Amino acid sequence: MRVAEQTWPELDSYISEESLAVVPLGSTEQHGPHLPLSTDHLIAEAFAREATDRTGYLCTPPINIGVSPHHRQFHGTMWVDAPVFRDYVESLTRNLAYHGIDRVIYVNAHGGNVEHLREVGRRLRDDETLYAIEWMWNESIPELVDTLFEQNGPHGGPKETAMIQYLQPELVSTDRLADARDEGLIEFTDDNTRRFGSRTFYDAIDNTNNGVLGDQTDATPEKGEKMFESATEQLVKLCRWLDRQTIADLMPKDHV
């Protein structure tokens, strides 16, 4: 059930029976010469909608701009400062709590959002407003991703390329896949990103001239479909698991 497509009496009926909401989050940022800036929020919304269509749980509109200053040197990248993002997501989630939601899954497709969503979840749990957790699609299927791609790349790589090839192929510049690979950084390892135990870079451009990593020519829509189906199954299981929990068990434990 999608919030923006319902009337308020229909949502009243949902809240009277259910208390779980799914919130898709991504970013609007560069994804190399071959993928749209909308890559992350397209992926997040696709997972959130598919999982809630299969289960009947509530899906909110997406949050399309996240914490992305590390991509700021590339045209079109948009971001909000981390404290602003955290406060915005927290305020939105408290809005859901006001309407009767007591558990939330942040369906996230942007790595820059992760730590901030965890912090928001802690704030809301600590004051016992509700229970909110972050879910990221590729982290739910790590073995499959590693099996499908030799160099999957953490940003704009073949896993995200394959996903958009499957979800919205018209947005992929297939004639630029080789350029994305050859002008970017194929292997993202500690050897080329750390010095003496320290992460010495701050921005994507410090490591890759075109903003992306991995071998994008290894992507296919068929691989994207496999990942989408497998990760959606994981998200559906997470939704159903969370729905079964009692809210008291999800709240902070008493001091020993």
Side-chain angles (χ1 to χ4, degrees), residues 148-253:
L148 291 175
F149 308 108
E150 184 175 351
Q151 301 289 345
N152 58 65
H155 180 74
K159 64 174 180 276
E160 289 185 324
T161 303
M163 193 64 72
I164 299 299
Q165 284 177 328
Y166 171 63
L167 295 173
Q168 291 194 236
E170 71 279 7
L171 297 181
V172 181
S173 298
T174 55
D175 60 331
R176 300 299 305 276
L177 296 182
D179 292 341
R181 176 197 62 197
D182 297 341
E183 297 170 14
L185 180 67
I186 295 178
E187 295 188 51
F188 187 77
T189 66
D190 284 351
D191 290 341
N192 56 30
T193 60
R194 291 179 180 270
R195 296 291 182 272
F196 312 110
S198 175
R199 174 174 163 164
T200 54
F201 68 94
Y202 283 94
D203 297 332
I205 202 169
D206 295 336
N207 294 315
T208 165
N209 292 331
N210 66 359
V212 292
L213 308 115
D215 182 358
Q216 292 76 10
T217 65
D218 197 19
T220 67
E222 291 76 20
K223 292 179 179 180
E225 182 177 15
K226 286 182 181 179
M227 292 188 296
F228 186 77
E229 286 300 318
S230 182
T232 298
E233 289 177 5
Q234 295 300 307
L235 180 55
V236 165
K237 290 178 181 177
L238 178 62
C239 289
R240 289 173 173 159
W241 170 84
L242 185 55
D243 188 42
R244 291 194 303 268
Q245 308 310 302
T246 62
I247 193 62
D249 289 339
L250 298 172
M251 290 295 101
K253 304 298 184 288

